[in-house]
Amino acid sequence: MNIAESVIRSTLMRIRGLKKSYRTTGGELTVLDGIDLDLEGGDELAITGPSGSGKSTLLHIIGGLDTPTAGTIDIDGRSLAELSSRDLADYRSHSVGFVFQDHHLLPQCTVLENTLIPTLAAGGATRERIDRARWLVERIGLGHRLTHRPAELSGGERQRVAIARALVNGPKLLLCDEPTGNLDRANAERIGDLLIQLAQDSRAILIVVTHSLELAAKLKIRMELIDGRLAPA
Amino acid sequence: MNYFRLLQETLTHYWRTNLAVLLGTLIGSAVLTGSLLVGDSMRGTLREMTLERLGNVDVVMIGPKFFRQDLPKRLLDTQRPNSPSSVAAIILIRGAVTGPNETRASTVQIIGTTPAFWQMFPKTGLNAEEAASKVIVNQSLADQIKLDVNEKTRARIAVRLEKASDIPREGLLGRREGTIRSVPFTVDQVIPDVGAGRFSLDMTQRMPATLFVPIEKLAGPIEQKGRANALLVTDSPTSQGTSKVVQQIQNALSLDDLGVELQSEKEWISIGSRERILSDTVVRAVNRLITDEHLASQHIMTYLANTIALGNKEIPYSVVAGMDYPVESPLGPIVANPPKHYPVPHQVIVNQWTADKLGAKVGDEIRLEYFEVQNDSTLKTKNESFKIIAVAPMEGLAIDRRYTPEYPGITDADTFGDWDAPFPVDLDRVKADDEKYWKDYRTAPKVFLSLVDAQRLWSTRFGNLTSIRLVGPKQLTAPEEQKDVISRQLRKLLDPEELGFAILPIRETSLSASSGSTDFGMLFVSMSFFLIVSAALLVGLLFRLNTERRSASIGVLMAVGVRPSTVRWLLLAEGFVLASIGSLLGLGGAVLYARSLLKLLSTWWKDAVGTSFIDFHAAPASFVVGSLSSLIIALIAVYWATSRISKTPIPELFNEGFTFVGRSRRRRWLHWFLAVAGLLGGIGLIFAGLFGLTSEMGAFFGGGTLLLIGDLALLSAFLHRPALSDPAALVRGAGFIAITRLGIRNASRYPTRSLVTATLLALAVFLVVAVGSMRHGKPPHIPDKTSGNGGFALLATASTPLTRDLSDPEGRFAMNVSDEASELLKNAEIYSFRVKSGDDASCLNIYQPRHPTILAATKPFIERGGFAFASTLAESKEEAENPWKLLDKDFGPGVIPAIGDAATLQWILKVPVGSDLEMRTEKGEIVRLRIVGGLNESVFQGQLVISESAFLKAFPSITGKRFFLIAPSGGSSDKLASLMEKDLSDYGVDVDSTGRVIENYLSVQDTYMAAFQTLGGLGLMLGTLGLAAVLLRNILERRGELALFRAIGFRDSAIAWMVLSETGTLLWAGLLTGTVCALIAVLPQLIRIHDWGVMIPLGVTLLVVIFLGFMSGFIAVIAALRSPVLAALRSERA
């Protein structure tokens, strides 16, 4: 069995009536207002929408970084709302891979170490995981820069490392928040392809929040978040 | 990749910021451990000094009476197991020494030495036999009297010594004049102040001025040939503790050593005393012996009647005797026929000679005139009449001269004319038949009265019997055998301690006292407290800033599933590593810190405590305790810094310029509540103090503290205030005011950071200003009855007690006071105090005093009142007006009221007003001194004052006055002081102005305040560093924002002003809040400041802080302006 094929069972994600609102000095601000969504392993979803529409918030809630005001998210039949903070951490560790607009690489760590960071939360960097990390770094085209630190990489290279980091634990969900937002067109093109390819390899659900129509166009499903609701783009 | 590796990488990657945290911990560790090392040094130095000044002496016995010099021989009985290894009997007295150039040392320790004494101080490096035959002075005395002695030249000195009279000076037959003798000595050698040169039994760090004289050369002049008054013992190495030695000394003391004399007569044993009066302790023991052994006894009290008169006929200077009258032989009867004639109160038997001379017969009433000794040693003539009940024929016991003890100068005189009496004798009254009686019957009493009458009239605090006659056990017939048996039995019944012989395990007690009057370690920990807290807050602040700066990395760890608790542990581990390294490196800094403090203390204290004496000592335990404590403190700070990690929503960690937001933002009501409560409470308390509802000082300090809390809460409320109702209010207007408003508002951008910084500054300033205001400066030298000098300009002390009254012209004449001084003293107000010497309990002594010096306040002094009291136990109006009256208040049996200086009570003796301190009386009884009042900045530092009546009950044998307060009626105090020192040099009198004495005490207290202020100032500067760190961090985080201001056309000056407004807000918030509240807190103290010069260092400290604060602002401005606009606008975290 290929390392990339380690996720064999198809994942099911089911979101119902998801709401998120904030209390502000100007009153209550509703960002998400009843999101319903069903996805399964191998699905690729691009979410677009204007700034402040709640795209990132939706992604954070799906990734267990934030909690909804109402509604449920079930992953493989298990509701995130029922998870304790410890279980949520485990969920993020084993089931979710994040790619942010800003790479957020640890400046003190090398490319390989940064890639291996998620293994810290998943029982440590075993030989198998180190091999997978090396394979991923090879896949993103930085096999020759394993020992380089973020400061020695370009913006595109850093973001590629962030993608490798997101995939090192073989997540069921690959959540990307404006992954190409800080990159030039060529790099953005390359990162987009890489994301899709790697997600397909691992049969993970890929959700990309982006302003980039080019990137959105590469994904199978495209939706737009307007007034707190998802609608086909 | 593993957590350890991640930790390692993080520590090295962020080395700059970590270094700052490490330095903060290092400072904390250095300060904390250094403070403990100061304590070690103080204890170590005092311990070393103790060991050096005691040589090999383990146990010491100081006798109120001189004992036989052969006591060591009796003690060193080799047959006895665990006998002491060496014993020296020495004479240890005080006197005044005048050098060749008339330079004078008034308080000199004079030691009559033996070879055994010198052997106890091998460090001196002298041959013991040789040294014991030489007159030697130590370097301190040589310096004082400017003595230059070498191998070729000898120097002559004059030593003024008090004759050690066995007879109490304040008894009728005690000599009060001519008691000082000037003895010339030729000094053979000067020895350095080491070994015996440092010997002293006083627990003080001051170097003693000592004169060593061969014991026989000293015993003669003080009239104690063959005797000594101090026993020094070196314990045997095999001894099982000093208590065994103490027991051995007690057993070795003979009745003669204890001053008890047994006279063996043919038919009885007479028990008397070298003091010529039997103490109550001896009488109790003899009575017990009488009861236990069923002995026949007779108690006798003889006295001298100036006159026995009947009508106009009189007999001068006659011995009269009161006694009980056994009718059985051999102790009775006085009148054989009928034998049952004995006087009851107000009755007397006269002998035939007296009856004949007065023409008296049975039934006549005769009058006895006699001297009564007053408390001030003056003699008052009194008289009493008695009815004659019998006339005793001139035979048998009626003419027994042995009823009267021997009085040198009187009983051994051939004629009245040869009497050398200590009281006035009018020889014109002595007729030929009186001389004949003296010749024939000498001291045979002329009048016999009841013992009750004799004791009623003539008993003194020294006793009320002159002798007791005993008839020994009937089975023993030989008088010497009887004497031996009674002597042994009586000795067993006498406890030397009850007779005033103090046997002390001096090494043990001195070493225990060498822990110091104050735990200097803890004192400096307290003084450095703010420095430690500042360092801890700085560590916390820097660590928090670091954590905030790395919030995105932390966010990533959490986003990838690392649990928040694990992330926190990682951060704590990082903090632990930094704190551990900092704490360990701080140990090196601790040595530097301690050495610097010791250097400062030595310099500050040199004048006040007489020597720069503190050597550096370090106990390993201090390093362990110091480093561990600072590690824990740093970890607490790190724990605080990371406390919000697990509560922060993960997405927020990715925000640009992330900062932890505490609950404070959500609990605004709490800020307002604290602000209102603090401000109202503070103002209320101050008003309560102003209107006398509570103690003024407490009210102001409490009020100031509450105001500080209120102000800081107000600041917190301001920093956490919600957005303005007018959304454009912040940017309304233009120019200077608008920019200033924006700068001020920026201070609330990161409320927690700003609040911590301002609080740090405010607390530091509060402490520094409050403590700085408590410094006294030089007190005024103007006598004022309600001040610490009590209205007295001069304070005199004498090394030898003055038994005559300085305010009495005759007393002054008797003491050879010159006419000029006598004239100045004539109208002066003089109060004299008896002194029970003890340990100096003032702040000038670093040792822990065990037995403070006790002064006896006379009735007139108590009635006079005066001085400033800090607190008293006064209940009535009268007591409140003159708290000295509390000294006469009855607090129940075994409790003696005492007054002391508030500083002495609080800091040295640690007995607050209202509590008790145990005191051992001369008879070995433990009484409690109830502290009834504390004096403010008084001349009584180092002593406790009790009433003279209580004093005389506790210490009956102490005669004469050694402490004097003098208020000259005008003229020059300085002139009077120098005249008194000159005229009374025989008594070793030193006179100083009360102002200077108080100033000396206060200067030591000011030293502590100065140290506290200096260390507080350092803490303040550390706080300012915190401010700088916060500002720089704020600016770095806002580089983009500031660049934007520049990009849209703001001038550099406008940006600079905006940043400075922000700096100024925090700086002034801290400084003003702290300063104003501290000044309010110490307002009552501030009003009393004598010398505003003491506020200069405080002002300088505050100016330095303001300067440093604004420098931080300027550095922040430069950092902001140097950042290229475009780069800053595009800046990203990498």
Side-chain angles (χ1 to χ4, degrees):
Chain A
M1 186 179 67
N2 186 312
I3 295 170
E5 292 166 355
S6 59
V7 180
I8 48 170
R9 201 168 62 83
S10 185
T11 300
L12 287 173
M13 183 180 80
R14 184 185 163 93
I15 299 176
R16 287 291 175 271
L18 194 75
K19 287 187 180 182
K20 181 73 179 177
S21 51
Y22 297 101
R23 273 197 294 180
T24 67
T25 47
E28 194 166 271
L29 178 70
T30 301
V31 182
L32 302 176
D33 190 15
I35 304 280
D36 296 324
L37 186 66
D38 289 287
L39 291 172
E40 62 177 25
D43 281 349
E44 299 159 6
L45 169 65
I47 301 174
T48 56
S51 294
S53 59
K55 303 185 296 291
S56 296
T57 305
L58 176 61
L59 211 58
H60 290 156
I61 292 172
I62 294 170
L65 297 180
D66 203 349
T67 50
T69 312
T72 57
I73 299 176
D74 293 347
I75 306 289
D76 287 337
R78 201 168 171 203
S79 169
L80 291 190
E82 288 167 7
L83 299 182
S84 65
S85 63
R86 177 182 281 253
D87 293 336
L88 266 178
D90 285 346
Y91 162 69
R92 288 198 299 271
S93 160
H94 293 102
S95 307
V96 182
F98 262 109
V99 178
F100 301 97
Q101 179 175 3
D102 199 350
H103 52 83
H104 296 313
L105 295 182
L106 271 57
Q108 66 268 40
C109 297
T110 61
V111 165
L112 184 62
E113 284 169 341
N114 264 298
T115 310
L116 282 164
I117 285 291
T119 64
L120 287 173
T126 57
R127 173 56 47 198
E128 199 178 314
R129 281 173 174 153
I130 294 170
D131 288 346
R132 178 173 165 81
R134 282 179 183 278
W135 178 79
L136 281 168
V137 175
E138 284 291 342
R139 286 294 310 270
I140 61 171
L142 293 172
H144 59 295
R145 320 227 11 209
L146 279 174
T147 56
H148 286 216
R149 291 182 195 269
E152 296 159 343
L153 304 177
S154 70
E157 287 167 336
R158 288 175 197 167
Q159 196 62 326
R160 276 187 271 160
V161 177
I163 293 168
R165 180 180 67 192
L167 289 165
V168 74
N169 280 344
K172 297 172 183 172
L173 298 166
L174 181 56
L175 307 177
C176 308
D177 189 1
E178 296 283 6
T180 58
N182 285 341
L183 302 177
D184 58 55
R185 178 182 286 267
N187 264 314
E189 179 89 7
R190 195 169 171 195
I191 291 290
D193 291 342
L194 193 60
L195 271 174
I196 294 163
Q197 197 176 353
L198 288 172
Q200 280 173 354
D201 285 351
S202 58
R203 288 201 51 78
I205 297 171
L206 173 65
I207 304 177
V208 178
V209 163
T210 182
H211 283 117
S212 165
L213 295 176
E214 289 90 339
L215 176 59
K218 289 179 189 278
L219 274 65
K220 291 175 191 162
I221 310 165
R222 289 172 294 280
M223 300 190 95
E224 191 173 9
L225 190 61
I226 303 169
D227 296 333
R229 289 174 178 275
L230 279 176
Chain B
M1 187 45 134
N2 53 38
Y3 288 126
F4 181 73
R5 171 96 180 135
L6 180 62
L7 180 66
Q8 213 178 358
E9 297 280 1
T10 307
L11 283 169
T12 47
H13 182 78
Y14 295 107
W15 70 269
R16 283 185 192 86
T17 46
N18 285 340
L19 187 65
V21 173
L22 191 142
L23 280 174
T25 321
L26 188 150
I27 291 169
S29 168
V31 170
L32 184 55
T33 315
S35 300
L36 295 177
L37 293 182
V38 171
D40 288 346
S41 303
M42 203 65 80
R43 278 190 295 275
T45 304
L46 290 183
R47 191 184 160 83
E48 267 178 9
M49 283 167 71
T50 302
L51 293 175
E52 186 158 343
R53 76 181 166 78
L54 289 178
N56 292 337
V57 179
D58 292 311
V59 177
V60 66
M61 181 187 79
I62 301 287
K65 302 168 182 72
F66 279 73
F67 52 82
R68 290 210 322 261
Q69 263 182 44
D70 66 352
L71 179 59
K73 214 170 168 185
R74 282 177 273 147
L75 196 55
L76 284 170
D77 181 351
T78 47
Q79 299 302 311
R80 227 177 274 156
N82 299 325
S83 283
S85 58
S86 68
V87 184
I90 60 165
I91 292 176
L92 181 61
I93 52 175
R94 292 197 186 280
V97 174
T98 308
N101 307 320
E102 291 302 307
T103 42
R104 195 174 63 92
S106 56
T107 308
V108 177
Q109 170 175 254
I110 302 167
I111 301 176
T113 63
T114 63
F117 168 79
W118 290 103
Q119 276 161 7
M120 287 180 171
F121 299 92
K123 231 176 153 182
T124 322
L126 295 181
N127 176 290
E129 293 289 340
E130 219 173 277
S133 65
K134 282 181 173 177
V135 175
I136 296 170
V137 300
N138 74 345
Q139 192 60 51
S140 289
L141 177 57
D143 291 345
Q144 279 189 43
I145 57 173
K146 299 187 172 52
L147 196 67
D148 185 21
V149 174
N150 54 47
E151 283 180 8
K152 289 177 187 165
T153 59
R154 299 277 182 274
R156 283 183 72 78
I157 56 170
V159 182
R160 268 132 183 131
L161 302 165
E162 186 191 21
K163 291 177 197 164
S165 167
D166 288 323
I167 302 170
R169 293 209 189 286
E170 291 179 358
L172 175 67
L173 296 159
R175 292 191 185 280
R176 288 175 283 279
E177 287 157 29
T179 56
I180 304 294
R181 187 160 173 186
S182 182
V183 187
F185 285 111
T186 302
V187 177
D188 299 307
Q189 194 174 349
V190 175
I191 58 169
D193 291 335
V194 291
R198 201 163 190 171
F199 169 70
S200 168
L201 296 179
D202 294 336
M203 283 191 244
T204 171
Q205 74 284 352
R206 283 177 179 270
M207 207 61 79
T210 313
L211 168 67
F212 302 92
V213 180
I215 193 162
E216 61 278 8
K217 284 191 182 174
L218 190 59
I222 62 166
E223 298 177 353
Q224 292 291 344
K225 273 191 178 164
R227 292 188 178 270
N229 69 341
L231 192 76
L232 311 181
V233 181
T234 304
D235 202 358
S236 150
T238 58
S239 158
Q240 293 147 354
T242 47
S243 58
K244 192 86 188 157
V245 180
V246 171
Q247 189 62 48
Q248 285 172 359
I249 295 172
Q250 284 187 335
N251 294 340
L253 285 165
S254 67
L255 281 182
D256 182 62
D257 292 327
L258 300 177
V260 180
E261 292 179 333
L262 256 68
Q263 198 73 38
S264 173
E265 302 294 343
K266 195 175 170 190
E267 292 171 300
W268 63 76
I269 306 279
S270 178
I271 297 172
S273 144
R274 278 211 309 278
E275 294 171 340
R276 309 302 190 269
I277 187 109
L278 289 169
S279 69
D280 293 346
T281 308
V282 174
V283 171
R284 264 201 311 275
V286 176
N287 284 343
R288 199 172 146 197
L289 181 67
I290 292 166
T291 314
D292 291 352
E293 301 297 326
H294 308 289
L295 304 176
S297 66
Q298 184 178 32
H299 297 74
I300 302 155
M301 171 71 173
T302 54
Y303 205 69
L304 186 87
N306 299 340
T307 306
I308 304 169
L310 177 67
N312 57 1
K313 290 182 182 170
E314 60 177 47
I315 303 169
Y317 309 116
S318 309
V319 174
V320 295
M323 58 183 78
D324 39 28
Y325 295 90
V327 292
E328 302 290 331
S329 176
L331 299 176
I334 296 278
V335 182
N337 192 19
K340 285 189 180 172
H341 266 311
Y342 55 86
V344 295
H346 306 293
Q347 294 179 347
V348 290
I349 295 171
V350 297
N351 67 11
Q352 190 64 54
W353 185 91
T354 306
D356 293 347
K357 177 148 185 184
L358 295 175
K361 58 184 185 302
V362 171
D364 284 347
E365 206 161 77
I366 59 165
R367 184 169 49 84
L368 294 188
E369 252 183 42
Y370 56 90
F371 283 132
E372 187 183 81
V373 187
Q374 305 299 297
N375 266 350
D376 62 359
S377 301
T378 54
L379 301 174
K380 192 173 174 184
T381 304
K382 300 195 105 180
N383 62 71
E384 182 122 351
S385 295
F386 299 88
K387 191 178 173 184
I388 299 172
I389 58 158
V391 176
M394 299 303 282
E395 60 183 28
L397 291 169
I399 55 166
D400 188 352
R401 64 187 66 175
R402 292 164 302 180
Y403 283 124
T404 312
E406 295 285 325
Y407 290 103
I410 299 179
T411 53
D412 53 358
D414 288 336
T415 65
F416 274 102
D418 294 335
W419 274 23
D420 177 18
F423 48 83
V425 175
D426 182 1
L427 288 175
D428 290 345
R429 295 177 61 208
V430 180
K431 308 295 179 208
D433 51 350
D434 297 321
E435 288 287 12
K436 184 160 187 331
Y437 184 93
W438 183 254
K439 193 178 170 198
D440 294 344
Y441 306 107
R442 301 197 73 85
T443 54
K446 290 171 186 161
V447 175
F448 296 89
L449 58 161
S450 70
L451 186 60
V452 174
D453 274 338
Q455 290 185 331
R456 176 173 58 82
L457 298 177
W458 305 313
S459 74
T460 64
R461 66 179 194 270
F462 307 108
N464 56 16
L465 288 175
T466 46
S467 64
I468 299 173
R469 286 181 177 180
L470 302 177
V471 177
K474 282 177 186 164
Q475 64 272 27
L476 304 170
T477 47
E480 282 309 313
E481 200 181 339
Q482 287 193 18
K483 186 183 166 189
D484 280 352
V485 170
I486 287 181
S487 176
R488 272 201 304 275
Q489 286 174 326
L490 183 58
R491 176 60 195 81
K492 271 187 200 162
L493 291 170
L494 281 170
D495 178 357
E497 288 209 351
E498 283 188 31
L499 288 164
F501 282 84
I503 306 172
L504 302 169
I506 189 86
R507 181 178 298 268
E508 220 171 280
T509 49
S510 298
L511 285 177
S512 141
S514 65
S515 60
S517 55
T518 306
D519 182 343
F520 278 86
M522 288 325 288
L523 178 73
F524 276 89
V525 167
S526 330
M527 283 185 175
S528 310
F529 175 74
F530 201 78
L531 202 48
I532 297 164
V533 169
S534 295
L537 283 177
L538 196 63
V539 165
L541 197 64
L542 291 172
F543 203 85
R544 189 160 176 156
L545 290 176
N546 283 356
T547 312
E548 285 172 353
R549 191 178 159 211
R550 286 154 42 197
S551 64
S553 294
I554 292 165
V556 164
L557 287 176
M558 292 200 208
V560 299
V562 179
R563 289 176 194 149
S565 57
T566 310
V567 173
R568 194 167 180 207
W569 274 112
L570 264 176
L571 289 168
L572 285 175
E574 194 179 324
F576 177 78
V577 171
L578 293 174
S580 301
I581 297 169
S583 297
L584 286 175
L585 292 178
L587 298 183
V591 175
L592 282 177
Y593 182 75
R595 281 189 181 279
S596 312
L597 281 182
L598 293 177
K599 179 95 184 150
L600 274 178
L601 276 180
S602 295
T603 314
W604 282 335
W605 278 356
K606 196 171 182 180
D607 294 333
V609 299
T611 173
S612 51
F613 64 96
I614 319 162
D615 298 322
F616 178 77
H617 288 78
S622 296
F623 286 112
V624 175
V625 171
S627 57
L628 278 181
S629 305
S630 48
L631 175 64
I632 290 167
I633 292 170
L635 283 179
I636 291 170
V638 169
Y639 186 85
W640 166 80
T642 57
S643 60
R644 308 287 325 158
I645 290 274
S646 52
K647 290 162 190 143
T648 305
I650 298 167
E652 282 185 24
L653 293 168
F654 297 105
N655 291 347
E656 187 80 23
F658 166 80
T659 177
F660 290 111
V661 178
R663 280 179 297 178
S664 48
R665 194 190 286 273
R666 292 162 219 158
R667 291 199 178 171
R668 256 193 310 270
W669 64 270
L670 184 66
H671 305 150
W672 282 110
F673 172 76
L674 279 176
V676 173
L679 294 174
L680 288 181
I683 292 165
L685 209 53
I686 288 163
F687 271 97
L690 281 176
F691 291 106
L693 298 173
T694 179
S695 126
E696 189 188 54
M697 212 166 272
F700 272 80
F701 201 84
T705 311
L706 281 179
L707 284 178
L708 180 72
I709 294 169
D711 280 353
L712 288 174
L714 200 63
L715 178 68
S716 179
F718 168 78
L719 292 173
H720 289 98
R721 75 192 192 281
L724 302 173
S725 52
D726 175 359
L730 197 62
V731 290
R732 199 175 294 285
F736 173 77
I737 292 174
I739 289 172
T740 307
R741 193 167 49 225
L742 196 59
I744 293 171
R745 181 68 197 188
N746 279 343
S748 61
R749 186 183 184 113
Y750 304 114
T752 307
R753 283 181 204 174
S754 297
L755 189 65
V756 168
T757 313
T759 304
L760 198 65
L761 285 172
L763 287 178
V765 170
F766 184 86
L767 281 180
V768 170
V769 172
V771 172
S773 310
M774 282 179 191
R775 292 179 67 178
H776 309 81
K778 287 188 177 178
H781 286 213
I782 305 152
D784 173 4
K785 194 175 173 184
T786 57
S787 76
N789 60 40
F792 298 99
L794 299 175
L795 186 155
T797 53
S799 59
T800 302
L802 271 62
T803 43
R804 297 302 301 263
D805 188 358
L806 266 179
S807 39
D808 173 20
E810 282 184 27
R812 291 199 292 271
F813 180 76
M815 290 187 290
N816 295 325
V817 174
S818 65
D819 291 346
E820 199 180 354
S822 195
E823 190 58 31
L824 288 171
L825 284 167
K826 193 167 75 182
N827 298 317
E829 205 185 348
I830 305 169
Y831 292 93
S832 315
F833 298 74
R834 289 170 199 277
V835 179
K836 165 74 179 86
S837 295
D839 306 328
D840 178 7
S842 78
C843 54
L844 303 184
N845 190 8
I846 316 295
Y847 279 87
Q848 170 69 59
R850 302 286 150 144
H851 307 288
T853 298
I854 308 287
L855 300 183
T858 58
K859 201 90 190 154
F861 178 81
I862 291 172
E863 289 301 322
R864 174 190 180 273
F867 290 89
F869 280 81
S871 57
T872 70
L873 291 186
E875 286 174 347
S876 67
K877 192 182 168 205
E878 198 188 2
E879 287 168 353
E881 279 170 2
N882 178 11
W884 289 103
K885 288 190 172 171
L886 287 164
L887 292 185
D888 285 333
K889 196 168 180 176
D890 184 8
F891 285 92
V895 181
I896 299 173
I899 286 174
D901 186 89
T904 301
L905 296 173
Q906 185 180 355
W907 301 111
I908 313 292
L909 297 174
K910 300 179 179 74
V911 278
V913 170
S915 57
D916 292 353
L917 186 72
E918 283 191 349
M919 179 182 79
R920 198 183 182 88
T921 68
E922 205 171 279
K923 291 176 189 168
E925 295 163 354
I926 301 293
V927 291
R928 283 180 292 143
L929 294 179
R930 171 77 42 85
I931 307 299
V932 296
L935 296 158
N936 227 347
E937 297 177 14
S938 77
V939 290
F940 291 107
Q941 264 221 22
Q943 302 109 358
L944 290 177
V945 187
I946 63 175
S947 73
E948 191 172 53
S949 55
F951 184 96
L952 290 175
K953 275 182 203 151
F955 308 106
S957 74
I958 292 178
T959 55
K961 312 288 178 75
R962 291 206 289 125
F963 185 94
F964 310 88
L965 289 173
I966 303 160
S969 64
S972 162
S973 295
D974 289 345
K975 191 174 180 190
L976 177 60
S978 68
L979 282 171
M980 279 182 71
E981 284 191 348
K982 187 170 155 240
D983 296 350
L984 295 167
S985 60
D986 282 358
Y987 297 89
V989 167
D990 272 328
V991 188
D992 210 343
S993 91
T994 49
R996 260 195 299 274
V997 171
I998 297 172
E999 186 182 322
N1000 219 7
Y1001 292 138
L1002 295 186
S1003 70
V1004 174
Q1005 291 179 27
D1006 275 0
T1007 301
Y1008 291 115
M1009 298 294 177
F1012 195 100
Q1013 206 179 339
T1014 307
L1015 299 174
L1018 285 175
L1020 192 52
M1021 283 166 206
L1022 218 53
T1024 319
L1025 275 184
L1027 174 73
V1030 165
L1031 285 173
L1032 275 174
R1033 175 75 190 146
N1034 286 355
I1035 295 301
L1036 286 173
E1037 281 173 3
R1038 296 189 344 245
R1039 266 181 310 188
E1041 177 187 309
L1042 292 171
L1044 177 78
F1045 277 111
R1046 291 167 72 195
I1048 61 176
F1050 275 71
R1051 287 182 190 157
D1052 286 355
S1053 59
I1055 293 170
W1057 182 248
M1058 189 172 66
V1059 173
L1060 285 177
S1061 303
E1062 184 178 341
T1063 314
T1065 303
L1066 296 181
L1067 194 63
W1068 286 113
L1071 285 182
L1072 267 182
T1073 304
T1075 309
V1076 171
C1077 295
L1079 288 177
I1080 292 171
V1082 294
L1083 200 57
Q1085 191 78 21
L1086 217 53
I1087 295 163
R1088 280 196 277 272
I1089 283 189
H1090 314 300
D1091 174 11
W1092 285 93
V1094 295
M1095 300 300 273
I1096 294 173
L1098 180 62
V1100 171
T1101 308
L1102 293 181
L1103 282 176
V1104 169
V1105 168
I1106 293 169
F1107 173 75
L1108 286 177
F1110 275 107
M1111 282 307 290
S1112 316
F1114 278 117
I1115 291 167
V1117 168
I1118 291 165
L1121 297 181
R1122 279 180 64 182
S1123 178
V1125 179
L1126 287 176
L1129 284 170
R1130 283 202 300 257
S1131 71
E1132 63 173 12
R1133 277 184 264 198

